[in-house]
Amino acid sequence: MENFTAYNPTQLHFGKNVIEKLPDALQNTGKNILLISGQGSVKKYGYYDQVVQKLKEAGKNIIEFSGIKPNPVVNDAEKAVKLAQKNQVDAIVGLGGGSVIDTAKMVNMAYANNLPVWKIMKREVQPVKKIPLFVVLTLAATGTEMNGAAVLQNHRTQEKIGYFSPLMYPDVSFLDPTYTLSVPKNQTINGIIDLIAHSLEAFFSGGVAPLSDRFVAANILETFDYAPALLNDLKNYDLRARMMWTATIAENGTTMHGRATAGDWGTHSLAHHISLLWDTPHGQTLSVMFPAWMKAMHPKIESRLQQLGYLLTGKHIKPDETISIFEEFFDKIGAPIRFEQLGLNAQDKQKLLNLWLKNKPSGMNVTLDEKDYHKIISYL
Ligand code: NZQ
Ligand code: ZN
């Protein structure tokens, strides 16, 4: 096992009506709150009203920035920073899914340090402070509610990249599975894929970390267990709760301790280019990319595929059979597993390849070169 530092400062409230705890959590923050949300679902389903009521109970002034789009863009984050500056906000509340929360994290860094968002993300400048960040999550998928990561895209530079800082862990997160009962089936499928993909990114890191491997397998097996039932019963609180917690665990550090790299993330980097080019939902890019990556990288990850197969089935299965477990599961739950199922064609594959050749996405453990890109494209 490699040396590691376990660190997760986020206080997370989980369960029915946890929003009741919001006023207490805000007690020691200033008056002006920047409330960031997406394109309207939180208003449609009543979560916005509940949060606003709690903010008012706490005696806060609300400065609102809404309209964050899925696959969030750096320009919106910059606009929100301007609003924060104009109103001298004291804290940020992010209300929504990963796109909203990631934007809230970057707005926090840029505002608190008076730095441009994209320069921070490109690591040209380094933030050193933050203001308090509170998260009310409405979608189980990314794990952003309990980690220090954010992902934004920039159409000017043709990049979608992640940024991590210990300053970006939310101070307090509120996870009420009731808030996810309204998530439509396709978006629920996307969330299931994303949390499995995060578990796999952890598994394909370097180093030997058997307990972390078992956490990965447990999280995946738990997901295989509830997912089919949930997709037939979207309003089931207990199944939604199981999904919400697996999504958090998949990317809050639990699966990473003792590894040589904090995840591989090659598949995510490759898949982000599909979102960048065609605005494809994050989950769908991953159900297409992960099987292709595993097939193409088979020689480099053969023993890991065998180990994962054993942890998942208790049997010594072949690496190909491990890959099939995921491909068949994604297919069974109605996720796309081939590039064409995203409504894209051979010309689009070439566009994707060209962008990979320009941006050179790679993994932290399984590094990728030009030959690999061609191989992965052939399996898409
Ligand atoms: O915009 P609104 O109207 O809110 O609608 C959203 C959006 O259309 C809707 N939605 C959210 N909560 C809902 C709901 N609809 C009904 N009921 C609810 N309760 O769902 C749609 C998707 O929302 P989004 O926030 O985009 O989804 P997700 O949470 O999957 O976030 C995806 C983004 O997170 C990034 C992805 O790359 C992508 O940009 N990631 C962030 C990570 C992190 N910070 O750790 C890691 C991940 O690997 C990922 O890269
Ligand atoms: Zn992801």
Side-chain angles (χ1 to χ4, degrees):
M1 221 189 325
E2 304 294 324
N3 291 3
F4 65 92
T5 301
Y7 176 75
N8 196 313
T10 301
Q11 183 181 53
L12 187 141
H13 299 295
F14 190 99
K16 281 179 190 164
N17 302 320
V18 287
I19 203 65
E20 296 296 332
K21 296 177 188 287
L22 183 59
D24 265 2
L26 288 165
Q27 239 174 22
N28 298 322
T29 60
K31 244 184 144 33
N32 291 346
I33 306 291
L34 179 66
L35 174 60
I36 303 184
S37 65
Q39 297 189 316
S41 69
V42 295
K43 291 186 179 165
K44 183 171 169 193
Y45 297 110
Y47 317 133
Y48 174 86
D49 287 346
Q50 289 181 26
V51 171
V52 165
Q53 190 197 328
K54 293 294 152 198
L55 290 174
K56 286 187 176 157
E57 260 174 53
K60 305 298 179 190
N61 299 328
I62 302 167
I63 294 102
E64 193 183 331
F65 190 93
S66 61
I68 300 302
K69 58 181 282 306
N71 295 321
V73 292
V74 68
N75 288 358
D76 282 342
E78 284 294 4
K79 284 183 199 160
V81 173
K82 287 211 173 74
L83 188 68
Q85 285 165 340
K86 190 171 151 215
N87 292 279
Q88 288 301 296
V89 303
D90 301 299
I92 300 177
V93 174
L95 167 62
S99 296
V100 167
I101 312 306
D102 285 5
T103 304
K105 288 177 173 179
M106 291 315 305
V107 171
N108 190 340
M109 290 301 98
Y111 169 69
N113 296 278
N114 203 16
L115 294 170
V117 174
W118 196 246
K119 282 199 171 187
I120 298 173
M121 296 198 77
K122 294 294 285 181
R123 295 173 180 78
E124 290 166 19
V125 292
Q126 200 182 349
V128 292
K129 53 188 177 177
K130 56 172 285 186
I131 62 170
L133 172 66
F134 302 90
V135 162
V136 182
L137 191 71
T138 65
L139 200 149
T142 62
T144 188
E145 64 276 10
M146 205 179 189
N147 70 37
V151 184
L152 293 183
Q153 55 190 44
N154 184 334
H155 288 287
R156 192 179 52 79
T157 65
Q158 281 204 303
E159 288 169 285
K160 174 169 184 169
I161 56 171
Y163 178 74
F164 173 87
S165 163
L167 295 168
M168 293 209 303
Y169 285 87
D171 291 81
V172 190
S173 282
F174 300 84
L175 274 65
D176 184 342
T178 314
Y179 282 28
T180 65
L181 296 180
S182 55
V183 177
K185 188 167 183 174
N186 58 351
Q187 202 57 51
T188 306
I189 294 170
N190 292 340
I192 291 166
I193 298 161
D194 198 21
L195 79 92
I196 287 182
H198 296 162
S199 308
L200 291 174
E201 295 281 17
F203 195 85
F204 291 110
S205 316
V208 179
L211 180 58
S212 294
D213 286 352
R214 286 180 194 273
F215 281 133
V216 165
N219 217 37
I220 292 173
L221 288 172
E222 163 69 353
T223 307
F224 285 172
D225 193 53
Y226 68 70
L230 172 58
L231 293 172
N232 282 320
D233 190 6
L234 293 170
K235 301 276 179 208
N236 185 312
Y237 175 87
D238 291 320
L239 295 170
R240 286 288 187 186
R242 288 171 71 184
M243 177 172 172
M244 206 167 198
W245 190 227
T246 48
T248 302
I249 291 294
E251 222 199 311
N252 73 345
T254 306
T255 60
M256 298 293 183
H257 300 127
R259 301 191 187 282
T261 55
D264 180 59
W265 303 107
T267 310
H268 266 70
S269 307
L270 294 162
H272 283 335
H273 289 76
I274 300 183
S275 294
L276 185 67
L277 285 168
W278 298 286
D279 219 12
T280 313
H282 180 58
Q284 291 188 16
T285 66
L286 291 165
S287 55
V288 168
M289 197 60 70
F290 237 113
W293 177 87
M294 287 194 275
K295 287 175 198 171
M297 293 301 108
H298 185 154
K300 294 188 190 174
I301 58 170
E302 181 152 17
S303 66
R304 292 301 276 156
L305 286 168
Q306 276 163 350
Q307 286 161 14
L308 183 58
Y310 183 73
L311 285 171
L312 292 175
T313 65
K315 293 183 203 137
H316 294 287
I317 61 174
K318 293 186 186 131
D320 283 348
E321 292 174 302
T322 307
I323 299 172
S324 296
I325 290 175
F326 292 96
E327 202 167 50
E328 283 166 19
F329 174 76
F330 292 154
D331 192 37
K332 186 175 87 179
I333 64 170
I337 53 170
R338 292 288 177 274
F339 195 70
E340 290 72 23
Q341 289 176 283
L342 300 174
L344 301 169
N345 58 31
Q347 270 180 341
D348 297 324
K349 265 189 194 172
Q350 190 57 47
K351 262 193 212 164
L352 179 62
L353 180 61
N354 291 345
L355 196 56
W356 284 351
L357 291 169
K358 171 181 165 285
N359 286 346
K360 302 187 174 39
S362 188
M364 284 164 69
N365 179 43
V366 185
T367 50
L368 302 171
D369 59 23
E370 212 175 307
K371 264 194 218 143
D372 295 320
Y373 299 150
H374 285 275
K375 214 166 162 192
I376 294 166
I377 282 279
S378 75
Y379 283 113
L380 280 180

